Amino acid sequence: MKTIDELLAEGVAGKRVFVRADLNVPLDGTTITDDGRIRAVRPTVAQLAAAGARVVVASHLGRPKGAPDPAFSLAPAAARLGELLGAEVAFATDTVGESARATVDALADGQVAVIENLRFNVGETSKDDAERGAFADQLAQLADVYVGDGFGAVHRKHASVFDLPARLPHAAGGLIATEVGVLKKLTEDVARPYAVVLGGAKVSDKLGVIDHLLEKADRILIGGGMAYTFLKAKGLEVGTSLLQEDQVPAVRGYLKRAEELGVEFVLPVDVLVAGEFPDLKTKAPANPTTVAADAIPADQEGLDIGPETRKLYAAKLADAATVFWNGPMGVFEHPDYAEGTKAVAQALVDSPAFSVVGGGDSAAAVRILGFDENAFGHISTGGGASLEYLEGKTLPGLAALED
């Protein structure tokens, strides 16, 4: 695929360059609570603007239902991008309508605009090829060149990700090039021992990557809500903890296969439990109890890994040469249940391993818990995209950038 360096060498001055970014940042009202994805695409936008391009940045945010919804406006993201660039960023209040056309037409060389949330148009996410293609045709009228740099969306067959590159000369942005290069280090000629840490709520979200990584990893550590389905598969009581009962047979199969392959599966030996889920708004003290993983009371819910598990996981990561981590160990948004996630992050900071934090909640946790991002090998901007890449799937947004 063509790189942005090759594109810049050809010259972009005076050209309208459509940058498909991932500005899907978490918001508290109109306040951005984690601007990591905006900071990640800033270098590509800045390079293009410095080269004299008229840069049109587009993205989705959240899951609006194909119609404008003020709660999902990209206006806060556009303002933050302007702050990071140190330059005014124009904002169009629609995607392909009068405002978008006028805003793009008004750009001078080196200026930047952001158009409104792509998912305000039903064509962006449509499963109908013709409907999706019609929206891509409208987007193509806003640009002369396409740059794909929204890694967090490349696993989606959406109009701006998959269909639009076919309609314009295209190249991969710097962020996508970096992300793909990092993921190749996790799949090709991996430095060993190779440890994988998986957490988060649902085991069903991770089965594909577990299946694929059983052939590659030396050890797999499990935490978060998904751990309780693994504990259940081992025949243990999990109380009122998050449980996907229908996935227990599949998990038993993976545990058996791991044993046959010599892959070490590491599960919690103790957990923090409480009778109710914590209040994440007030963050009132939750007063959890620590119990052994085989002694969870029937009326209690597991909400984080316990202190002995934290020590165990740190020891299992200490000698690793490569680590991939996706998913928090507990309800890290509440201080009483953040220690497990913090312990894994600290173990990666302390380890000499090449460590990759696989996007989503893990990346947010690293920043929220106060860790220096530079202490990790790489923090991905795309959790779902990273997982699907590691599953060996073809990602539509990457395939569309191939010549």
Side-chain angles (χ1 to χ4, degrees):
M1 65 180 66
K2 180 185 287 186
T3 67
I4 190 169
D5 289 337
E6 291 171 314
L7 179 65
L8 291 169
E10 293 172 358
V12 294
K15 293 182 179 179
R16 300 170 301 164
V17 180
F18 187 104
V19 178
R20 200 337 179 156
D22 180 9
L23 307 180
N24 185 28
V25 292
L27 294 172
D28 181 2
T30 59
T31 301
I32 297 170
T33 57
D34 180 6
D35 68 353
R37 285 176 170 164
I38 305 175
R39 287 187 286 112
V41 78
R42 187 204 65 80
T44 291
V45 175
Q47 274 186 293
L48 290 166
R54 303 177 182 193
V55 188
V56 182
V57 181
S59 176
H60 70 287
L61 192 153
R63 296 181 181 272
K65 304 188 183 300
D69 183 337
F72 297 105
S73 175
L74 278 174
R80 181 58 181 146
L81 179 60
E83 291 172 356
L84 293 169
L85 291 170
E88 184 179 352
V89 169
F91 181 66
T93 56
D94 57 29
T95 55
V96 290
E98 183 178 338
S99 178
R101 291 192 298 271
T103 301
V104 173
D105 287 345
L107 288 175
D109 294 0
Q111 291 187 330
V112 179
V114 173
I115 62 174
E116 187 54 284
N117 192 334
L118 292 163
R119 291 187 183 176
F120 285 0
N121 189 302
V122 71
E124 169 67 0
T125 59
S126 176
K127 296 189 185 306
D128 181 85
D129 290 348
E131 186 173 31
R132 215 175 51 246
F135 183 48
D137 287 339
Q138 291 178 292
L139 290 172
Q141 293 174 20
L142 299 175
D144 306 303
V145 181
Y146 177 94
V147 171
D149 214 30
F151 181 74
V154 293
H155 58 313
R156 306 295 188 192
K157 192 177 180 180
H158 291 169
S160 66
V161 176
F162 179 75
D163 302 273
L164 185 55
R167 289 156 168 78
L168 295 169
H170 50 265
L175 174 60
I176 278 187
T178 298
E179 294 273 14
V180 172
V182 165
L183 289 170
K184 283 183 176 178
K185 290 186 179 181
L186 301 179
T187 54
E188 302 172 10
D189 194 25
V190 182
R192 298 185 179 281
Y194 180 16
V196 175
V197 186
L198 297 175
K202 295 182 179 179
V203 70
S204 56
D205 292 342
K206 306 292 197 304
L207 287 182
V209 77
I210 291 172
D211 182 66
H212 204 67
L213 288 176
L214 277 175
E215 304 291 338
K216 299 182 181 297
D218 297 300
R219 62 186 71 125
I220 300 176
L221 287 59
I222 302 294
M226 63 183 284
Y228 303 100
T229 301
F230 277 87
L231 294 175
K232 185 72 171 181
K234 299 276 281 185
L236 302 181
E237 168 66 55
V238 297
T240 60
S241 306
L242 188 62
L243 173 66
Q244 288 186 283
E245 189 82 50
D246 61 324
Q247 300 297 332
V248 168
V251 167
R252 282 201 190 104
Y254 285 124
L255 290 171
K256 183 170 187 265
R257 189 169 146 218
E259 188 176 359
E260 292 168 351
L261 291 169
V263 176
E264 185 181 10
F265 246 106
V266 190
L267 300 179
V269 294
D270 62 345
V271 297
L272 268 62
V273 300
E276 59 182 9
F277 197 82
D279 188 326
L280 299 183
K281 283 197 176 293
T282 66
K283 293 185 171 52
N287 302 315
T289 302
T290 301
V291 300
D294 61 359
I296 299 174
D299 63 346
Q300 299 281 295
E301 178 178 10
L303 295 163
D304 194 12
I305 58 173
E308 293 305 313
T309 305
R310 290 174 221 149
K311 293 178 191 173
L312 172 65
Y313 285 14
K316 293 294 182 182
L317 296 172
D319 68 339
T322 305
V323 180
F324 173 69
W325 172 30
N326 182 286
M329 297 293 98
V331 187
F332 73 91
E333 299 91 340
H334 191 288
D336 287 350
Y337 302 105
E339 292 303 316
T341 301
K342 192 181 294 184
V344 167
Q346 187 63 54
L348 298 192
V349 170
D350 295 339
S351 168
F354 174 67
S355 57
V356 178
V357 181
D361 287 341
S362 311
V366 163
R367 289 187 278 267
I368 289 170
L369 295 175
F371 287 91
D372 180 358
E373 294 181 45
N374 295 320
F376 303 88
H378 179 70
I379 297 180
S380 178
T381 57
S386 296
L387 289 175
E388 290 198 17
Y389 188 99
L390 293 178
E391 286 178 43
K393 291 183 177 180
T394 297
L395 305 187
L398 296 184
L401 294 175
E402 298 288 352
D403 293 325

